[in-house]
Amino acid sequence: MNKEITKTMISIKNTQLSFVFKLIQHSFIVLLFLLIPTLIYILKDPYKDFGNHKDYRLTYYFHIPGDMTVKRLEKEQKNINTFILGSSRSVPMYSCYIKHKIFKNSKDIKPFHFSTWQESIGGIYEKMKYLNRKKYKIKNCIILIDNKNTFKNQGEVIQDNHYILTGKSKFRTYYEHFLQFFYYSGKRLPENIKILFGYKNKNEINYADLETNDLYHKCDLYHQENKMDTSLFFKSIPINHEKYDLYPRKKHSTFSQNQISKVEQNYLIWIKNILKKNRTNYLIIIAPMYNQKNFSIKDQTIISKIFDNRIIDFSGVNSITENQNYYSSTSHYYPIVGKIMIDSISKSKLLYR
């Protein structure tokens, strides 16, 4: 009887040990399965978070301009003194064309584009504060705002920006990039996996000019002045993978609701203080949004008062917003609109004191 009990106990122990060994084995396989992609991810470094890279221009669809631009400025010593800030609506305001049209190709003007997707007024302030802290001479500054994203969520900084701007820890940002790449990429996960093995989607149009940080074009294509005024007419979609969602408008002026909160008003004042400290020639541009809405009278008054009426307002119903062919979606317009805005700035001479 005792022998049978002993055999049974030994059998149970052997079964338990076998289970434990199999569990360890399977756990090791699972761990290895997770570890290999992680190691490849770190070595490939698709977000350019680790080590040094040849350049920090946008390369893939998941790159965020606000993140990549700070990486550029942290790693590279840039001779820049003229800045364009704003959301994706500022993308067609090409720095090279600004230098050509407004500043007559002056050698003293070194323009640089410092935008990001869905930029808020708090994000613009953080970028201004960053430039000031890095002791860049802010000689000229064009700030583009709109009635869609600039004054949302109390001006909170968009969390996809670089951790220096958001205040998040470096490691949290790296972890979020990892999750976005593998977990939140959804249908694009197979494409991301291919990226890890050196594949690059030929249809991607993400790139930035190395000198001006302009997106989706290279300034050396426009060095010849006879091409400068015509090259920007081409219809190249400014943002990847957007949907055509244009709708008929009523063609009469309407006003947005009051948007500027007390917190956001403070951001505006702080931005103005940085501009004043740097004796900056500046201009505020209100984007020609497809919705044809003007800022509320109250918000317009706040902006005008803080920035001494140094504003050009393209919102509402006008020759730009009436032309549906200028828009690739309700959020974005083609480069020709950037050209029109820059031409208007040049005629106004508001960037000169």
Side-chain angles (χ1 to χ4, degrees):
M1 188 70 176
N2 290 335
K3 288 182 179 181
E4 291 179 2
I5 292 173
T6 302
K7 287 181 179 180
T8 302
M9 291 178 67
I10 292 172
S11 177
I12 291 171
K13 286 183 178 180
N14 287 336
T15 302
Q16 290 174 336
L17 286 171
S18 177
F19 173 76
V20 171
F21 286 136
K22 285 183 179 179
L23 182 63
I24 292 171
Q25 187 180 29
H26 288 134
S27 298
F28 178 76
I29 293 172
V30 171
L31 184 63
L32 194 62
F33 180 77
L34 295 174
L35 186 61
I36 290 175
T38 301
L39 289 174
I40 296 174
Y41 172 86
I42 292 172
L43 291 172
K44 183 65 179 179
D45 195 11
Y47 283 91
K48 301 185 179 181
D49 286 331
F50 318 109
N52 291 315
H53 292 266
K54 183 179 179 181
D55 63 66
Y56 288 84
R57 71 169 82 191
L58 266 72
T59 307
Y60 304 114
Y61 76 94
F62 47 78
H63 282 169
I64 305 298
D67 178 50
M68 298 304 295
T69 302
V70 172
K71 286 171 181 171
R72 292 188 73 174
L73 295 178
E74 286 293 294
K75 299 291 183 179
E76 305 170 13
Q77 185 63 37
K78 304 293 290 183
N79 180 21
I80 48 182
N81 58 21
T82 298
F83 299 92
I84 300 90
L85 297 100
S87 67
S88 54
R89 261 69 69 186
S90 72
V91 167
M93 298 189 69
Y94 296 152
S95 297
C96 51
Y97 189 64
I98 286 172
K99 180 173 181 176
H100 162 74
K101 193 71 178 184
I102 300 175
F103 298 105
K104 313 305 179 187
N105 285 324
S106 170
K107 294 181 180 180
D108 295 330
I109 302 300
K110 307 293 183 182
F112 191 79
H113 212 122
F114 201 177
S115 62
T116 201
W117 311 147
Q118 300 182 334
E119 183 68 286
S120 67
I121 195 63
I124 292 172
Y125 167 64
E126 288 297 332
K127 288 179 173 65
M128 293 289 295
K129 189 168 69 170
Y130 171 80
L131 292 172
N132 191 57
R133 187 172 66 249
K134 295 285 286 186
K135 300 188 184 307
Y136 281 105
K137 175 61 178 175
I138 310 174
K139 188 173 184 177
N140 305 287
C141 187
I142 298 174
I143 298 174
L144 183 137
I145 62 177
D146 61 63
N147 57 28
K148 185 175 182 180
N149 292 313
T150 309
F151 300 103
K152 282 177 63 176
N153 303 321
Q154 300 293 310
E156 181 181 350
V157 181
I158 302 302
Q159 293 302 293
D160 284 341
N161 269 302
H162 193 276
Y163 59 83
I164 288 177
L165 304 176
T166 63
K168 293 188 295 189
S169 72
K170 180 190 301 186
F171 299 104
R172 180 182 169 186
T173 302
Y174 293 171
Y175 177 66
E176 288 176 354
H177 283 170
F178 181 83
L179 288 182
Q180 287 166 6
F181 189 85
F182 285 108
Y183 185 71
Y184 295 115
S185 54
K187 293 180 180 179
R188 300 199 74 155
L189 179 60
E191 182 180 338
N192 286 3
I193 297 300
K194 289 180 181 179
I195 286 171
L196 289 185
F197 293 94
Y199 170 85
K200 184 177 179 181
N201 189 345
K202 293 181 180 179
N203 294 323
E204 290 289 351
I205 58 172
N206 286 321
Y207 54 84
D209 184 80
L210 286 177
E211 289 300 317
T212 67
N213 207 44
D214 282 353
L215 298 181
Y216 307 141
H217 81 113
K218 297 177 182 178
C219 285
D220 58 8
L221 297 177
Y222 308 129
H223 280 321
Q224 296 180 36
E225 290 189 15
N226 63 333
K227 291 184 178 181
M228 184 70 77
D229 285 336
T230 58
S231 59
L232 301 181
F233 279 93
F234 295 124
K235 279 191 173 182
S236 57
I237 295 178
I239 305 298
N240 288 341
H241 313 298
E242 65 178 357
K243 295 180 180 179
Y244 182 88
D245 58 355
L246 302 184
Y247 57 85
R249 280 85 52 83
K250 295 179 181 179
K251 297 186 179 181
H252 62 80
S253 291
T254 58
F255 286 83
S256 301
Q257 295 181 343
N258 296 340
Q259 292 180 290
I260 301 177
S261 67
K262 183 64 178 177
V263 173
E264 291 164 331
Q265 188 172 338
N266 285 336
Y267 281 134
L268 292 171
I269 293 169
W270 296 336
I271 289 170
K272 173 62 184 303
N273 289 341
I274 293 175
L275 295 171
K276 186 176 180 180
K277 176 184 176 183
N278 284 269
R279 298 181 180 179
T280 305
N281 294 320
Y282 66 86
L283 186 62
I284 308 299
I285 302 296
I286 302 179
M289 299 299 290
Y290 186 79
N291 61 26
Q292 294 190 314
K293 289 185 178 181
N294 293 291
F295 277 87
S296 73
I297 294 175
K298 179 182 177 182
D299 288 346
Q300 288 184 35
T301 302
I302 290 171
I303 295 169
S304 296
K305 185 177 180 180
I306 293 173
F307 293 103
D308 305 319
N309 295 314
R310 298 179 69 81
I311 298 169
I312 297 182
D313 185 1
F314 294 102
S315 66
V317 178
N318 54 54
S319 59
I320 296 176
T321 61
E322 279 288 89
N323 193 333
Q324 187 168 310
N325 291 325
Y326 285 165
Y327 292 83
S328 56
S329 71
T330 56
S331 294
H332 302 115
Y333 32 74
Y334 290 111
I336 187 174
V337 174
K339 178 189 184 304
I340 292 170
M341 290 193 287
I342 293 167
D343 289 347
S344 296
I345 294 170
S346 178
K347 291 176 183 177
S348 73
K349 300 188 182 299
L350 283 174
L351 275 180
Y352 296 93
R353 290 181 178 172

